[in-house]
Coordinates of all heavy atoms in Angstrom, one line a residue:
H220 N 111.9 51.3 138.6 CA 110.5 51.7 138.8 C 110.5 53.3 138.9 O 111.4 54.0 139.5 CB 109.9 51.1 140.0 CG 108.5 51.3 140.2 ND1 107.8 52.7 140.5 CD2 107.4 50.6 140.0 CE1 106.5 52.6 140.6 NE2 106.2 51.4 140.2
K221 N 109.7 54.1 138.1 CA 109.7 55.4 138.1 C 109.6 56.0 139.4 O 110.3 57.1 139.6 CB 108.6 55.9 137.1 CG 107.2 55.7 137.6 CD 106.2 56.4 136.6 CE 104.7 56.3 137.1 NZ 103.8 57.1 136.2
T222 N 108.8 55.6 140.3 CA 108.7 56.1 141.6 C 110.0 56.1 142.4 O 110.5 57.0 143.2 CB 107.5 55.6 142.4 OG1 106.3 55.6 141.7 CG2 107.4 56.3 143.7
A223 N 110.6 54.9 142.3 CA 111.9 54.7 143.0 C 112.9 55.6 142.4 O 113.8 56.1 143.2 CB 112.4 53.2 142.7
V224 N 113.0 55.7 141.1 CA 114.0 56.7 140.5 C 113.7 58.1 141.0 O 114.6 58.9 141.1 CB 113.9 56.7 138.9 CG1 114.8 57.7 138.3 CG2 114.2 55.2 138.4
G225 N 112.4 58.5 141.0 CA 112.1 59.9 141.5 C 112.6 60.0 143.0 O 113.0 61.0 143.3
A226 N 112.4 59.0 143.8 CA 112.8 59.0 145.2 C 114.3 59.2 145.3 O 114.7 59.8 146.2 CB 112.4 57.8 145.9
E227 N 115.0 58.4 144.5 CA 116.5 58.6 144.5 C 117.0 60.1 144.2 O 117.8 60.5 144.8 CB 117.1 57.6 143.5 CG 117.0 56.2 143.9 CD 117.7 55.3 142.8 OE1 118.4 55.8 142.0 OE2 117.4 54.0 143.0
Y228 N 116.2 60.6 143.3 CA 116.5 62.1 143.0 C 116.3 63.0 144.1 O 117.1 64.0 144.4 CB 115.7 62.5 141.7 CG 116.2 63.7 141.0 CD1 117.3 63.6 140.2 CD2 115.7 64.9 141.4 CE1 117.8 64.8 139.5 CE2 116.1 66.2 140.7 CZ 117.3 66.0 139.8 OH 117.7 67.2 139.2
V229 N 115.2 62.7 144.9 CA 115.0 63.6 146.0 C 116.1 63.3 147.1 O 116.7 64.3 147.7 CB 113.5 63.2 146.6 CG1 113.4 63.9 147.9 CG2 112.5 63.6 145.7
L230 N 116.4 62.1 147.3 CA 117.4 61.7 148.4 C 118.7 62.3 147.9 O 119.4 63.0 148.8 CB 117.4 60.2 148.6 CG 118.4 59.7 149.6 CD1 118.2 60.5 151.0 CD2 118.4 58.2 149.8
T231 N 119.2 62.0 146.8 CA 120.5 62.4 146.4 C 120.5 64.0 146.3 O 121.5 64.7 146.7 CB 120.9 61.9 145.1 OG1 119.9 62.2 144.1 CG2 121.1 60.5 145.2
G232 N 119.4 64.6 146.1 CA 119.3 66.2 146.0 C 119.4 66.6 147.4 O 120.2 67.6 147.6
A233 N 118.8 66.1 148.4 CA 118.9 66.6 149.8 C 120.5 66.4 150.3 O 121.0 67.4 150.9 CB 118.1 65.7 150.7
L234 N 121.0 65.3 149.9 CA 122.6 65.3 150.3 C 123.4 66.3 149.5 O 124.4 66.8 150.1 CB 123.1 63.8 150.1 CG 122.9 62.7 151.3 CD1 123.7 63.1 152.4 CD2 121.4 62.7 151.7
R235 N 123.2 66.4 148.2 CA 124.0 67.3 147.5 C 123.8 68.8 148.0 O 124.8 69.6 148.2 CB 123.7 67.3 146.0 CG 124.1 66.0 145.4 CD 123.9 66.1 143.9 NE 122.5 65.9 143.4 CZ 121.8 67.0 142.9 NH1 122.3 68.2 142.9 NH2 120.5 66.8 142.6
R236 N 122.5 69.1 148.3 CA 122.2 70.5 149.0 C 123.0 70.7 150.3 O 123.6 71.7 150.6 CB 120.8 70.7 149.0 CG 120.5 72.1 149.6 CD 120.9 73.2 148.6 NE 120.4 74.5 149.1 CZ 120.7 75.6 148.5 NH1 121.3 75.6 147.2 NH2 120.2 76.8 148.8
A237 N 122.9 69.6 151.1 CA 123.6 69.7 152.4 C 125.1 69.9 152.2 O 125.8 70.7 152.9 CB 123.3 68.4 153.3
R238 N 125.7 69.1 151.3 CA 127.1 69.3 151.0 C 127.4 70.7 150.6 O 128.4 71.3 151.0 CB 127.5 68.3 149.9 CG 129.1 68.4 149.6 CD 129.3 67.5 148.4 NE 129.2 66.1 148.6 CZ 130.0 65.2 149.1 NH1 131.2 65.7 149.5 NH2 129.7 64.0 149.4
E239 N 126.7 71.2 149.6 CA 126.8 72.6 149.2 C 126.8 73.6 150.4 O 127.6 74.6 150.4 CB 125.8 73.0 148.1 CG 125.9 74.3 147.5 CD 124.8 74.7 146.6 OE1 124.0 73.7 146.1 OE2 124.6 75.9 146.3
L240 N 125.8 73.4 151.2 CA 125.6 74.5 152.3 C 126.8 74.4 153.3 O 127.4 75.4 153.8 CB 124.3 74.1 153.1 CG 123.1 74.4 152.3 CD1 121.9 73.9 153.1 CD2 123.0 76.0 152.0
M241 N 127.2 73.1 153.5 CA 128.4 72.9 154.6 C 129.7 73.3 154.0 O 130.6 73.9 154.6 CB 128.4 71.4 155.0 CG 127.1 71.0 155.8 SD 127.3 69.3 156.5 CE 128.3 69.6 158.0
H242 N 129.8 73.2 152.7 CA 131.1 73.7 152.1 C 131.1 75.2 152.1 O 132.2 75.8 152.1 CB 131.1 73.2 150.6 CG 131.7 71.9 150.5 ND1 132.5 71.5 149.3 CD2 131.7 70.8 151.2 CE1 132.9 70.3 149.4 NE2 132.4 69.8 150.5
A243 N 129.9 75.9 152.1 CA 129.9 77.3 152.2 C 130.0 77.7 153.7 O 129.9 78.9 153.9 CB 128.5 77.8 151.7
G244 N 130.2 76.8 154.7 CA 130.2 77.3 156.0 C 129.1 77.0 156.9 O 129.1 77.3 158.2
A245 N 128.1 76.5 156.4 CA 126.8 76.3 157.2 C 127.0 75.2 158.3 O 127.6 74.2 158.0 CB 125.6 76.0 156.3
Q246 N 126.3 75.4 159.3 CA 126.3 74.4 160.4 C 125.0 73.6 160.3 O 124.0 74.1 160.5 CB 126.5 75.0 161.8 CG 127.7 75.8 162.1 CD 129.0 74.9 161.9 OE1 129.1 73.8 162.5 NE2 130.1 75.3 161.2
L247 N 125.2 72.4 160.0 CA 124.0 71.4 159.8 C 124.1 70.3 160.9 O 125.3 69.7 161.1 CB 123.8 70.9 158.5 CG 123.5 71.9 157.3 CD1 123.5 71.2 156.0 CD2 122.3 72.7 157.6
F248 N 122.9 69.8 161.3 CA 122.9 68.5 162.2 C 123.4 67.5 161.3 O 122.9 67.3 160.1 CB 121.5 68.3 162.8 CG 121.3 67.0 163.3 CD1 121.7 66.9 164.7 CD2 120.9 65.9 162.6 CE1 121.5 65.7 165.4 CE2 120.7 64.7 163.3 CZ 121.1 64.6 164.6
A249 N 124.2 66.7 161.9 CA 124.7 65.4 161.2 C 125.6 64.5 162.2 O 126.2 65.2 163.0 CB 125.5 65.7 159.9
S250 N 125.6 63.3 162.0 CA 126.4 62.5 162.8 C 127.8 62.9 162.4 O 128.2 63.4 161.3 CB 126.2 61.0 162.4 OG 126.6 60.7 161.2

Side-chain angles (χ1 to χ4, degrees):
H220 189 287
K221 67 176 185 176
T222 304
V224 174
E227 289 183 13
Y228 196 82
V229 175
L230 179 57
T231 57
L234 270 293
R235 286 187 292 109
R236 182 61 174 182
R238 181 188 294 275
E239 180 182 345
L240 293 173
M241 295 187 83
H242 275 214
Q246 298 294 316
L247 295 178
F248 171 86
S250 66

